[in-house]
Amino acid sequence: MIGAAALNPRIRDWREMRVWVIGASTGIGAETAKLLLALGARVALSARNEAALQAIAGGHAQALTLPLDVTDAAQVLHARDRLLAEWQRIDLVLLVAGVYNEMRADQIDMTVVNRTLDVNLRGVFNGLDAVLPTLLAQRSGGVGIVSSVAGFRGLPRALAYGPTKAALINLAESLYIDLRPRGVAVYLINPGFVDTPATRQNDFEMPALIGAADAAREIVHGIARGEFHIHFPKRFTNWLRFARLLPYRLYFWLIHKVTGL
Ligand SMILES: NC(=O)c1ccc[n+]([C@@H]2O[C@H](COP(=O)([O-])OP(=O)(O)OC[C@H]3O[C@@H](n4cnc5c(N)ncnc54)[C@H](OP(=O)(O)O)[C@@H]3O)[C@@H](O)[C@H]2O)c1
């Protein structure tokens, strides 16, 4: 039935939650892990940089550091096994790890293309492959995929990055259809511009730029409210959601008008 009810269950108390954040060493993932720890959740932190993970965990009794390279399926499975040995269950997995490099059609670099596909897309599948059997067996818990508004439609400068994020939006929708009836929540997280090491390379002015701690709050509150599509800041993302509906002629004209490209 179509109604205004939340698409996922609400979360009232984070102290009951065992959360795995993959991509927790810097930026949005690091701030989300810190916020969840502050709210009393148990948090497992993964990324390649072990020293950074330990610094973010800060000796917190509720934190577990599980270093891994998300492109290496065996490492992800090994981390999942360590997590389950420690906690016995998983309540939420946030697939945050991603790489961004500016690219236009006259400068295709296949090393960067392959790296972007490996981390942003295959990395997410490695994470899903590791956790979905557990979530399905539990008939509870959830998985959040960090995509981007850059996945809504084609944009300039995002030749490698944009297609991976478009694929993640499609993937999250497909997952919701399969998983929600089986008790597993799915969250599609589409940030606008967030100030992190990834965006500091941009040499253009980023509209409606927000801090990583603000992004973390949006993510955690959106999940707690049971939203499927968590996008922010709304003053930017609502415009892009509208632009998604435009016919091509109007859309290409608007992008040229706004970016000059
Ligand atoms: N910043 C924005 O404006 C923005 C907007 C929309 C969407 N996003 C998305 O948000 C997510 C986080 O981005 P961010 O801006 O916070 O960037 P960031 O600060 O560069 O963080 C990226 C995270 O991904 C991890 N990572 C990268 N490659 C990895 C690998 N092979 N294995 C494991 N972990 C890996 C990094 O850790 P290690 O290097 O330690 O491995 C780091 O923890 C990304 O998916 C990004 O596309 C960002």
Side-chain angles (χ1 to χ4, degrees), residues 13-187:
D13 189 353
W14 285 99
R15 286 172 300 181
E16 301 298 316
M17 300 290 287
R18 287 159 244 215
V19 187
W20 188 9
V21 183
I22 300 182
S25 63
T26 58
I28 297 169
E31 290 301 326
T32 305
K34 282 197 256 178
L35 177 56
L36 289 168
L37 282 168
L39 291 170
R42 292 193 215 180
V43 181
L45 299 95
S46 288
R48 290 165 305 173
N49 187 336
E50 186 169 3
L53 294 176
Q54 270 162 7
I56 289 150
H60 209 292
Q62 303 270 77
L64 183 63
T65 53
L66 300 170
L68 57 79
D69 185 327
V70 82
T71 65
D72 183 331
Q75 288 187 29
V76 181
L77 291 172
H78 178 68
R80 186 271 323 265
D81 290 345
R82 280 189 56 201
L83 184 151
L84 284 176
E86 200 77 31
W87 290 350
Q88 288 75 50
R89 56 179 291 121
I90 310 175
D91 298 306
L92 177 64
V93 181
L94 295 177
L95 300 165
V96 190
V99 292
Y100 165 72
N101 287 280
E102 188 173 318
M103 191 181 293
R104 300 205 69 195
D106 56 356
Q107 31 163 258
I108 290 181
D109 176 337
M110 283 312 294
T111 307
V112 173
V113 170
N114 287 327
R115 186 78 199 143
T116 310
L117 290 169
D118 276 346
V119 177
N120 295 12
L121 202 47
R122 290 195 185 89
V124 167
F125 274 102
N126 284 336
L128 292 172
D129 181 50
V131 299
L132 289 188
T134 303
L135 297 178
L136 284 166
Q138 291 175 178
R139 296 192 67 83
S140 72
V143 58
I145 293 183
V146 176
S147 177
S148 166
V149 293
F152 282 174
R153 295 191 81 166
L155 286 171
R157 303 193 184 95
L159 208 73
Y161 180 77
T164 64
K165 295 301 182 177
L168 292 183
I169 292 172
N170 187 294
L171 174 61
E173 292 170 355
S174 300
L175 284 171
Y176 186 88
I177 292 163
D178 276 357
L179 295 177
R180 193 64 214 111
R182 299 178 67 182
V184 178
V186 178
Y187 310 93

Side-chain angles (χ1 to χ4, degrees), residues 100 102 157 193 198-206:
Y100 165 72
E102 188 173 318
R157 303 193 184 95
F193 287 111
T199 46
R200 279 177 209 140
Q201 60 177 302
N202 286 338
D203 59 1
F204 56 90
E205 198 182 321
M206 292 177 272

